[in-house]
Amino acid sequence: PARFRWRRVLHRIARIEGPERIAPEWWRTAPDEACEAGTRDYYRAEDTNGRRFWLYRETAEAGLTSVRWYLHGLFG
């Protein structure tokens, strides 16, 4: 994303690094079953004020009709 809102503050992304894909173990789910956890792509992002965030998006492979972004954590 070019920007995101967290705690009512708009953060504009200056730099982003990724993706790093994390997917469920292939041996835990039958091929015809939908996986609950889905596939996630993680990104390290820095806003224009130098704050760093760990963002991820769930992909359409997880049964979603659109991509949704989430804040996973903060970097110090």
Side-chain angles (χ1 to χ4, degrees), residues 2-75:
R3 63 186 179 276
F4 67 96
R5 187 173 303 277
W6 181 60
R7 294 189 176 177
R8 292 187 252 163
V9 176
L10 184 65
H11 298 274
R12 296 185 192 285
I13 294 180
R15 289 183 215 44
I16 195 158
E17 194 178 315
E20 179 180 344
R21 177 154 291 178
I22 298 178
E25 297 88 356
W26 59 267
W27 63 88
R28 294 191 182 255
T29 314
D32 58 340
E33 290 180 14
C35 179
E36 290 180 20
T39 301
R40 291 182 178 179
D41 291 331
Y42 283 84
Y43 294 82
R44 289 167 299 282
E46 184 175 324
D47 71 5
T48 54
N49 294 321
R51 291 175 289 223
R52 297 170 53 215
F53 304 91
W54 196 14
L55 306 174
Y56 74 89
R57 67 178 181 185
E58 289 198 356
T59 64
E61 293 173 12
L64 302 172
T65 56
S66 63
V67 175
R68 297 192 62 186
W69 288 88
Y70 301 91
L71 176 65
H72 187 81
L74 306 170
F75 291 101

